[in-house]
Amino acid sequence: MSLQRIYILFLSIAMMLPICAQEHDTQRNIYNDAMENYSIGRLEQAQQLLSENINRFNGSTKESAYRLLALCALGMDKNEEAEHYTTLLLRENPYYSTTVDDPARFVDIVKHIKSGMESTITTASNQAEKLSEVPVPVTLITDEMIRACSGRNLKEVLLAYVPGMNNVDSNDDINIAMRGIYNNSQEKILIMLNGHRLNSYSTNTASPDFSLSLEKVKQIEVLRGPASSLYGGVALTAVVNIITKDGADVDGLRLKVGYGNYNQKRADIVFGKRYYDLDVLLWGSLYHANGERIYVPREETGLKLYGGDIIVGGTGNKPNFDMGFTLKWKSLSFTYDTHFSQIISPFTISTTFLPYDWDKYTTFNGIKPSFATKSHHLDLTYRAKVGKRLHLQGAVMYDNSDMTHYQVISDSAISISIPGLSGALGSVFKGFDGVFRYINGQEATISAEARGDFSYVNTEHHQGLLTFGAQFSYFKLDDVRYALGVMYNLPIESNDVVAIAKGNEKSMNGFIQLKHQWRNFILNAGIRYDHKVHYDGKSINVLSPRVAAIFLQKKWNAKFSYSKSFVDAPYLYRKINEFIPEYTGDSIKGYSLGAETMHSYQLTLSGTDWVEGLNLELNGFYNRAQDLIYAGLLTYANAGTYKTIGVEFTGRYRRNRLFSNLTVAWQHVLQSEIYMNDINDAFNIPKWTFNAVVGYDILKNLRVHGHVCVETEQTNYTLFMNTAKPQITSSKVPARAIVDLGVRYGLGRLEFGVNCHNLLNQKYYRGCFGAGLIRQPSFSVLGYVAVKI
């Protein structure tokens, strides 16, 4: 089925929702009658009407009823009763936000009750649960925390708050590492939008960059550690679930525009409203930056042939964007999101690692040299309650991506011989200026899933919940282009490669999870089975187990967990290993790729409100990763082993005008091997990392906030594949402290702000697998003005 047909189908369903909302609804009529009584001062009659029918209400109507009951109680000066109904409202929707139309007393009650409530998440066990009951260590990042750290994109927010996450520069794409494990692109961490996968099905990648708007985000839930028992492949080291706001949270229109040095431009728009049982949220975001041009001497390049300017922080010739909407009506929800990501590689392909003149190269399909992805995501979800104990959910999803890898190989003709290159490929490398590689392909995936929660026991001392589900996915890669070019604009395409690259795959999975609480003890255990049929007819079958034991106390809790995860070798990597030998001759071997696996043991101790407003968490882990996939000269191989232990600490304090968050991460490598080279050290990852975020309200509407990142000395390893045997060299990267600072001021419906990054203008470098050190951006500033309508 084509994208256009599926889009029309989903859009038709979405457009029917407002029509359905206008139909006769007994619940809404009862509520309207109560609201009419309230508006003319008949508070007791309104309260009686709602109380008698409260059990008939559901969804947003029930929330509205609890709100109106609380307002009636306040109108009759029954404060305790008002607090009771407000508590019920917040239990129904823990993220409920007041509006400018709400009475001040009601706003104060909501704030007071929220301050004493424990936050809930849904990612860890596929169900809403308190943080103290989550079976694995979790980092919860709220909307307020996003604003406090001055993060411009998802990556910067994650680095500020998630212990164990580190910044790596892959020269190809925006990338992050979790507990020292990463590759050239971000393909080890699962990134989701409201529980639905955003990672590509052909490459496993999802870049945490400017293509994911932060203005629409209510909170970000991060599972630290393997999560394949629930989410299957890709969830090797962590899961990042982006939860969008409801329309009622926004309650209006918010516009925001910003400008900064290096020609940074951004614009954001968010609209949200709740119309009876229909909740609407729309968002749009644009960001573009020319980037900073920095001169790199010949000695800092890979082949050391010449020096020149590189571009860091450039987003290419098109702006990054994120646009979409969500519609929720009773038990139905529909989401459409489209986003575009583009990043300029500072250096040429990692094999040569040289500066290049970005402006000289021609444009293909509107794209100049860069890594670019345009994606569409649609999902339709239905939730139903069967009896008192069973909740069911079904969803259908469609994902489409257009991916471009446009890489420069060298500006100048390369006269030296690079082992392994022969035939057509070897001739391109020699004797020509302006050599480049262009890869483009379109993928499409259709998925359907069903899951349920069954409460099998609910007594004074025992609560038991059984969660189960299954999913089917069909993936297809089509319309592939593969070209090597010379003289900056003359492509030489290979139809043989294009024919080999096309294909389709199917995957099926099922999982079951048990959560049983007996007094202060919780047992949380689950297992998932994945069956995947590859394009060549071969299949893989994987079991991913998890078990956790939790001990709860009023002020603290302890958790111990074991989990196993896997990531199937990306489709594109397997295809490259097949067609490269045919394209180059037998000189380069194409390895048969298997799945990557990781076992993790974690012990977590958490303290809540030991001092009012202070929350602490200490987590220790042991990870054992095997068969990690790394890039070779032109192919890929299961060439890595990584065993490590570590400790992660998080401290958060909020009191009156002050907000502060501190994370500390330490890790020690027990064993690390890459292409039979024993590293036994963190691969471009510091042993100690400190992040502190502080926000303080100087005045009621004036807040200053800052972020400091301190990293100890680290060892940069560079893998050179342009020799007969892979070789690794090392160099030391000095310790550094990077400071970001921001301020914002509210004036009625207007807000003004400015955020400064690398305030002290530190000159520093980062590395990644297969590339040398890359200079990082200097001081940058971005100012903005926002208005709420």
Side-chain angles (χ1 to χ4, degrees), residues 629-688:
I629 296 175
Y630 290 109
L633 179 60
L634 293 171
T635 58
Y636 298 83
N638 294 105
T641 300
Y642 198 73
K643 298 179 183 179
T644 183
I645 58 174
V647 177
E648 300 163 346
F649 169 80
T650 300
R652 185 172 300 165
Y653 179 73
R654 179 177 178 81
R655 187 70 174 163
N656 298 326
R657 297 181 176 184
L658 176 67
F659 166 80
S660 61
N661 190 93
L662 173 67
T663 63
V664 181
W666 170 83
Q667 61 177 314
H668 173 69
V669 176
L670 301 174
Q671 180 188 359
S672 179
E673 180 184 290
I674 298 179
Y675 281 104
M676 297 176 291
N677 290 271
D678 290 326
I679 305 300
N680 295 334
D681 197 358
F683 196 82
N684 289 307
I685 301 295
K687 181 162 287 191
W688 288 92

Side-chain angles (χ1 to χ4, degrees), residues 569-589:
Y571 172 92
L572 190 61
Y573 290 1
R574 288 183 272 118
K575 279 290 189 178
I576 286 175
N577 278 16
E578 178 181 341
F579 70 66
I580 283 296
E582 295 192 20
Y583 195 59
T584 63
D586 296 330
S587 55
I588 294 180
K589 179 181 178 182

Side-chain angles (χ1 to χ4, degrees), residues 384-540:
K385 184 177 181 181
V386 182
K388 295 183 178 181
R389 294 190 172 188
L390 180 62
H391 289 80
L392 297 176
Q393 174 180 311
V396 290
M397 291 83 68
Y398 177 80
D399 292 274
N400 175 280
S401 292
D402 186 328
M403 301 165 293
T404 299
H405 287 191
Y406 186 176
Q407 299 167 289
V408 176
I409 297 172
S410 176
D411 267 2
S412 301
I414 298 178
S415 58
I416 64 174
S417 176
I418 299 179
L421 298 181
S422 61
L425 189 58
S427 66
V428 169
F429 264 88
K430 288 187 177 183
F432 289 99
D433 293 335
V435 184
F436 59 89
R437 178 173 72 172
Y438 177 83
I439 304 174
N440 174 257
Q442 289 78 42
E443 67 172 62
T445 303
I446 299 175
S447 305
E449 67 177 19
R451 63 182 60 171
D453 298 320
F454 176 68
S455 176
Y456 61 87
V457 63
N458 189 3
T459 65
E460 182 180 357
H461 300 302
H462 289 272
Q463 291 84 43
L465 189 68
L466 190 67
T467 304
F468 52 90
Q471 184 182 58
F472 171 81
S473 297
Y474 175 80
F475 155 82
K476 184 178 181 180
L477 182 67
D478 206 351
D479 298 330
V480 181
R481 288 189 64 187
Y482 186 94
L484 291 162
V486 297
M487 304 303 292
Y488 305 103
N489 62 3
L490 298 175
I492 305 172
E493 296 197 49
S494 171
N495 293 327
D496 294 335
V497 170
V498 171
I500 294 174
K502 296 180 181 180
N504 62 79
E505 296 188 336
K506 306 178 188 69
S507 61
M508 292 148 279
N509 65 73
F511 74 89
I512 187 168
Q513 177 181 271
L514 173 73
K515 179 183 179 182
H516 190 97
Q517 181 171 355
W518 176 67
R519 297 181 184 271
N520 295 332
F521 291 92
I522 296 178
L523 174 66
N524 190 312
I527 191 167
R528 170 168 163 147
Y529 169 72
D530 281 86
H531 172 74
K532 186 175 183 180
V533 181
H534 287 172
Y535 61 85
D536 56 4
K538 298 178 181 179
S539 62
I540 65 168

Side-chain angles (χ1 to χ4, degrees), residues 10 13-14 17 126 193-197 326-336 377-384 392-398 447-451 471:
F10 277 110
I13 296 173
L17 297 182
N126 252 330
L193 179 67
N194 294 329
H196 298 293
R197 167 177 171 160
T326 62
L327 299 173
K328 298 179 182 179
W329 181 69
K330 293 187 176 180
S331 299
L332 274 174
S333 64
F334 174 76
T335 299
Y336 171 73
H377 170 80
L378 304 95
D379 65 72
L380 179 66
T381 302
Y382 178 77
R383 299 174 179 86
L392 297 176
Q393 174 180 311
V396 290
M397 291 83 68
Y398 177 80
S447 305
E449 67 177 19
R451 63 182 60 171
Q471 184 182 58

